[in-house]
Amino acid sequence: MVTKEELAPHVEDVARALGKDRVLKEGIDVEKELREYLETYRVLDIATAKRSVVRKHGGNPAELRVSSGPPRKLSELQVNEPSVDFVVRVLTVNPKEVEVDGEKKKIHYGIIADETASKTYTAWMEEVPFKKGDVIRVRSAYTKDWNGEPQINFGNRTTFEKVSDELVPAAAAGRFGEERVLKVRDFKDGENNVTVEARILTIERREVPVGDAVKTVFSGLLADETGRAQFTMWHEFPIKPGDAVRIQGAYIKCWKGIPRLTFDERSKVERLEHSTLPGLKELERGHVTTIEEIAARGGAAAVTIRGIIIDVKPGSGVVLRCPECRRVIQKGVCRVHGAVKGKPDLRIKAAIDDGTGALIAVLNRELTERVTGRAMEDYMKVLTELASPDAVRADIMEKVIARPMELTGNVTSDEYGLMLVATSARMLEVDVQAEARAMLEKLEVD
């Protein structure tokens, strides 16, 4: 039998959903009706009982707020759960602007943690009633599927209550779960307590505003024999490019599919005097990755791919950019700054296929001039003489379509697929004999 204390929050929830004034006026005994459904009719669970009582009195079950189960640990959450409760410490809170149904909307995102795991969250609200460091009880959150992992969402049914810090001590939220020893290619969003051995390729110092203060942060690239990744370091550890290091107690966040290793003063960073990691020069060159592997990871930093250009998309060629924000403008209008005098630029947006998958690659003016062998001034003359942007695009297509190319850059992912913004690009000369030998050797092995 459910105790009175266990039933109390659900009685309150049903009364609120029906309207407390109405419950009093009509003398609705919510507790009695809930017990009838649970103990006489033996419905499946308290959630079914609550919905039944609300429907019986003509209410909307969607107005119910309190989840019907005990608080969960973050490590227990599964994808696509409609309503979950938990107590967590807020590690980060970040505002973000998104476009929903053509309208801009401010939301928040960040990381929460308990003693079992950390998870990313999205709060679909302009203001949030919590801040970094708060310990909060969350009711009626829900989860979605993000690359097979539960991503937590706070919607209009979610409620928050600030509770004692002792429920999730800061130390427990910062170091929890089993240590995860990972290679760079295995980085995934939400991983916590990560240990990795890698070599520092680049490092840059920046000053960033954090609340009312300015904080020093370091960012760059690191790599092992499996790939390269971005990192953010919120503490000045004595490391430099070329160092082989072991980083313990880090965590991983993703932006548009690109994983980023983050660590701070609570982490341990050790320089390795003797390491089996490849040397700096070898790691700087990188190695060729397949598009299939990148798609499986959801994105990647500083990867190199090789494939065939199969299409040059509209919007390639000479474009006009806003002098303020460098967005491409249409008919002299920037979507942010209105009517502006555009500055000419040159680019290629191409579809490239490597046999395992395809993505869109974007080449800037410098790379476009390099792979086509023609300067932007040449294309400006074509544009002036023929008065047709398609003529420029046709010329580019003639030079690159069906040709093999090697590209390096960051690959992001969104609802439109994978996009590589190239930092280097070069046409490849196909050695037919070498390709044939490689194919024969592969057939013999298979």
Side-chain angles (χ1 to χ4, degrees):
M1 177 181 294
V2 182
T3 66
K4 189 177 184 66
E5 290 73 22
E6 290 172 334
L7 208 54
H10 304 297
V11 172
E12 176 73 13
D13 195 27
V14 171
R16 189 200 50 73
L18 290 175
K20 292 183 179 178
D21 290 343
R22 180 189 169 198
V23 168
L24 288 173
K25 184 178 179 181
E26 298 181 11
I28 300 172
D29 190 337
V30 175
E31 180 178 346
K32 180 183 177 182
E33 294 194 17
L34 283 176
R35 287 195 180 281
E36 283 180 351
Y37 276 97
L38 289 169
E39 297 166 10
T40 303
Y41 306 137
R42 297 187 180 280
V43 297
L44 184 64
D45 51 34
I46 184 65
T48 305
K50 291 171 65 176
R51 289 195 296 270
S52 299
V53 173
V54 172
R55 285 197 189 97
K56 174 184 173 183
H57 293 283
N60 181 4
E63 296 296 323
L64 294 167
R65 296 287 185 270
V66 179
S67 177
S68 304
R72 308 270 296 281
K73 296 300 181 187
L74 292 183
S75 62
E76 300 171 344
L77 300 184
Q78 304 295 317
V79 299
N80 297 326
E81 294 202 58
S83 182
V84 289
D85 298 355
F86 43 76
V87 177
V88 291
R89 179 175 287 273
V90 179
L91 299 186
T92 64
V93 185
N94 307 288
K96 180 181 180 181
E97 191 173 81
V98 298
E99 194 166 301
V100 179
D101 297 329
E103 295 186 0
K104 291 182 178 178
K105 182 178 180 180
K106 180 183 175 185
I107 64 171
H108 292 78
Y109 70 98
I111 298 176
I112 52 178
D114 62 13
E115 66 274 27
T116 68
S118 68
K119 299 288 182 185
T120 57
Y121 70 85
T122 300
W124 296 93
M125 48 199 72
E126 292 199 352
E127 301 296 335
V128 290
F130 53 78
K131 64 182 185 301
K132 178 181 177 180
D134 282 352
V135 176
I136 55 175
R137 186 187 307 280
V138 181
R139 294 189 174 98
S140 297
Y142 61 98
T143 66
K144 287 189 172 181
D145 186 349
W146 176 253
N147 292 329
E149 295 292 325
Q151 186 186 49
I152 296 168
N153 289 262
F154 302 151
N156 56 13
R157 295 178 55 193
T158 308
T159 61
F160 308 93
E161 176 190 358
K162 189 172 180 181
V163 296
S164 169
D165 276 14
E166 295 178 357
L167 292 180
V168 186
R175 302 286 181 272
F176 44 75
E178 294 184 3
E179 179 186 32
R180 299 275 292 153
V181 181
L182 300 178
K183 293 292 185 184
V184 169
R185 70 182 171 200
D186 299 323
F187 283 4
K188 290 175 62 178
D189 191 28
E191 293 279 9
N192 191 68
N193 203 9
V194 170
T195 292
V196 62
E197 289 189 7
R199 194 175 296 280
I200 303 297
L201 302 186
T202 64
I203 188 167
E204 177 185 357
R205 180 188 184 113
R206 294 180 291 131
E207 306 291 331
V208 297
V210 178
D212 297 330
V214 175
K215 190 171 176 62
T216 301
V217 60
F218 302 83
S219 58
L221 282 175
L222 52 72
D224 64 10
E225 68 278 15
T226 69
R228 290 180 278 196
Q230 299 170 336
F231 72 86
T232 298
M233 187 170 77
W234 290 92
H235 179 74
E236 187 168 6
F237 292 102
I239 58 176
K240 63 182 186 303
D243 284 349
V245 297
R246 178 185 295 113
I247 302 167
Q248 296 174 276
Y251 60 94
I252 297 169
K253 294 191 296 183
C254 282
W255 180 80
K256 288 190 174 184
I258 299 179
R260 178 184 291 269
L261 186 79
T262 302
F263 47 103
D264 54 26
E265 67 277 6
R266 297 172 298 173
S267 307
K268 182 179 179 182
V269 178
E270 175 188 4
R271 290 176 59 185
L272 303 175
E273 297 301 326
H274 304 286
S275 169
T276 58
L277 287 165
L280 179 61
K281 294 294 184 185
E282 182 178 345
L283 291 173
E284 285 178 333
R285 286 195 296 272
H287 63 275
V288 177
T289 306
T290 66
I291 295 174
E292 181 181 38
E293 183 180 341
I294 297 170
R297 294 163 60 184
V303 289
T304 299
I305 64 168
R306 287 178 181 171
I308 302 293
I309 301 296
I310 58 174
D311 190 19
V312 174
K313 297 292 184 182
S316 299
V318 177
V319 296
L320 295 177
R321 293 189 182 277
C322 172
E324 297 291 331
C325 63
R326 290 205 35 87
R327 285 182 171 87
V328 174
I329 65 174
Q330 301 291 337
K331 298 180 179 179
V333 177
C334 170
R335 64 181 182 179
V336 175
H337 297 94
V340 295
K341 184 178 181 180
K343 298 182 66 174
D345 193 14
L346 184 66
R347 71 174 181 182
I348 295 176
K349 291 177 68 177
I352 183 167
D353 189 316
D354 73 347
T356 70
L359 54 71
I360 298 296
V362 180
L363 282 67
N364 62 17
R365 173 183 172 177
E366 178 187 352
L367 298 179
T368 299
E369 290 179 335
R370 184 181 303 166
V371 300
T372 62
R374 299 192 69 172
M376 187 171 78
E377 289 73 16
D378 297 334
Y379 284 121
M380 291 292 287
K381 290 179 182 176
V382 172
L383 192 60
T384 303
E385 292 169 0
L386 302 179
S388 171
D390 289 341
V392 175
R393 181 177 164 225
D395 186 273
I396 292 173
M397 292 178 72
E398 183 179 335
K399 290 180 167 56
V400 303
I401 283 288
R403 292 192 60 187
M405 182 181 289
E406 180 180 282
L407 296 155
T408 298
N410 293 341
V411 179
T412 60
S413 63
D414 58 21
E415 64 269 30
Y416 301 108
L418 298 175
M419 175 177 286
L420 183 149
V421 179
T423 54
S424 72
R426 68 186 180 100
M427 291 297 189
L428 298 174
E429 297 300 327
V430 178
D431 185 334
V432 178
Q433 291 185 344
E435 293 282 329
R437 284 197 300 273
M439 183 178 296
L440 289 172
E441 289 172 1
K442 186 175 187 303
L443 289 174
E444 289 173 358
V445 170
D446 294 342

